[in-house]
Amino acid sequence: MARRNSNVLSADVEEARGQILEAAQATFQHFGLAKTTMDDIAKAAGVSRPTIYRYFRDRDTLIAELIRLRSRKLFVHGTKFVLERENFRDQLIDGLMFMVDHGRRDPLIRLIVGPEHMDLATTVVGTSRLASTLTLEMWGPIFDRARERGELRAGITNEQACEWLALVQLILVGRLDFEDPADPAHRLMLETFVLPAFLPAG
């Protein structure tokens, strides 16, 4: 279904949403998350503020969509990286380190989950269950394979596992001292406290 709101935006709704998201992304990176308004985004997109609201209900909805978009791009690389590992233990630890490291490098994700924006992260990511939903998209099929091989603890669903894993990822991405993904101390911490939650007893 097409809609024509502006000479600047595409007549195709999804393409127009993409154009707005691209403008929003550049605006957030230029002004910072806290200072960027919907007026700023509209100006960058070359449209009026009411036009933005035709595509996105509010600022939080727009930010959530940007997180979803950037996360899914990261998932493509993350899934390939994880599936190169032979067993679930290495898939989980290496995959978690990969996602945290690349999430920290992403300027928008870093803006949102950084300590200075925790209130926003709670509103956009936490209450909407966006983090756990996105985590399930990537890790659900990996957990299914691990379960079939007997490498995943019985009695937990993918939804439960991903809710916990999403929380771990958000904590680690937001940590200012989690700089070097190759630091053996990070791996030891994950193996000691995170891995046992997923492995079969014994």
Side-chain angles (χ1 to χ4, degrees):
M1 177 182 174
R3 180 190 299 162
R4 190 176 299 278
N5 287 312
S6 165
N7 291 329
V8 177
L9 294 181
S10 168
D12 179 82
V13 172
E14 287 309 309
E15 285 184 13
R17 283 170 60 86
Q19 289 174 282
I20 293 169
L21 288 170
E22 190 174 332
Q25 180 172 273
T27 308
F28 284 133
Q29 291 177 10
H30 180 74
F31 292 114
L33 202 62
K35 295 181 180 179
T36 298
T37 66
M38 290 295 261
D39 282 325
D40 295 326
I41 295 168
K43 183 176 180 182
V47 298
S48 67
R49 188 172 67 170
T51 297
I52 301 291
Y53 284 117
R54 292 189 194 122
Y55 294 92
F56 298 96
R57 184 175 69 248
D58 53 32
R59 186 172 175 271
D60 286 351
T61 302
L62 190 151
I63 292 172
E65 190 58 35
L66 265 181
I67 296 173
R68 186 176 289 109
L69 187 68
R70 294 185 75 92
S71 295
R72 284 174 174 159
K73 287 181 179 179
L74 178 55
F75 291 168
V76 174
H77 303 288
T79 300
K80 180 178 183 296
F81 179 85
V82 166
L83 293 179
E84 288 171 352
R85 273 69 193 154
E86 291 185 2
N87 58 63
F88 178 65
R89 173 187 290 267
D90 290 338
Q91 288 178 346
L92 183 68
I93 298 300
D94 290 346
L96 188 54
M97 298 286 285
F98 179 95
M99 296 302 289
V100 168
D101 181 45
H102 285 72
R104 286 175 57 84
R105 291 189 209 174
D106 184 293
L108 186 73
I109 292 176
R110 188 75 189 107
L111 275 174
I112 291 163
V113 300
E116 66 274 27
H117 297 299
M118 288 310 292
D119 288 347
L120 179 64
T122 300
T123 301
V124 175
V125 180
T127 56
S128 67
R129 300 184 63 81
L130 178 62
S132 55
T133 300
L134 285 171
T135 302
L136 182 62
E137 282 187 26
M138 175 178 159
W139 285 95
I142 295 165
F143 287 147
D144 286 339
R145 294 187 188 100
R147 191 177 286 110
E148 290 170 3
R149 297 191 303 264
E151 295 182 287
L152 189 67
R153 178 163 68 88
I156 57 171
T157 65
N158 288 355
E159 288 76 13
Q160 291 169 325
C162 288
E163 189 169 354
W164 164 239
L165 194 59
L167 179 60
V168 172
Q169 289 178 137
L170 283 173
I171 292 169
L172 294 178
V173 170
R175 276 184 54 172
L176 294 176
D177 60 338
F178 201 92
E179 291 294 347
D180 181 7
D183 188 335
H186 299 326
R187 174 173 291 277
L188 180 61
M189 180 182 67
L190 296 178
E191 289 177 343
T192 303
F193 296 106
V194 177
L195 188 61
F198 297 92
L199 297 183

